[in-house]
Amino acid sequence: AGKSFLAPTGSRVMDVNKMMDLNETSLFIINLLKEKDMTQEALLDKLLAEYEIDRKTADSDLREFIDKAVTAGVIIK
């Protein structure tokens, strides 16, 4: 259906309630993470270069996305 999502790994793999639908921005972040290890600061810089958003909002949104993804078990911090 053209949608992107992340599923948990490891012992949480069967917990479909932990799946995350990805919007364009979150997919952009995940693709950056797949390329190489990136610091949160490097991710923030890439977001600012790609999207018209202020640094404070981008930083807050990025932290929220990472926290949710870690809690769901779809990325490991």
Side-chain angles (χ1 to χ4, degrees):
K3 290 201 148 229
S4 299
F5 66 93
L6 286 176
T9 60
S11 62
R12 298 179 184 177
V13 73
M14 296 305 291
D15 191 350
V16 294
N17 294 323
K18 299 285 185 175
M19 281 198 239
M20 293 179 66
D21 287 328
L22 300 179
N23 63 21
E24 178 186 335
T25 306
S26 55
L27 185 58
F28 178 76
I29 294 167
I30 293 300
N31 285 331
L32 288 172
L33 291 171
K34 288 191 311 186
E35 290 178 13
K36 61 180 179 178
D37 290 336
M38 295 193 72
T39 65
Q40 195 157 330
E41 192 66 26
L43 286 171
L44 181 58
D45 289 340
K46 296 274 189 183
L47 281 172
L48 293 170
E50 184 72 17
Y51 298 99
E52 292 182 21
I53 188 170
D54 66 275
R55 187 172 196 83
K56 183 178 178 181
T57 302
D59 185 49
S60 175
D61 291 351
L62 177 60
R63 289 175 189 277
E64 182 181 348
F65 171 75
I66 290 172
D67 288 346
K68 284 181 180 178
V70 169
T71 299
V74 296
I75 64 172
I76 299 169
K77 195 171 181 179

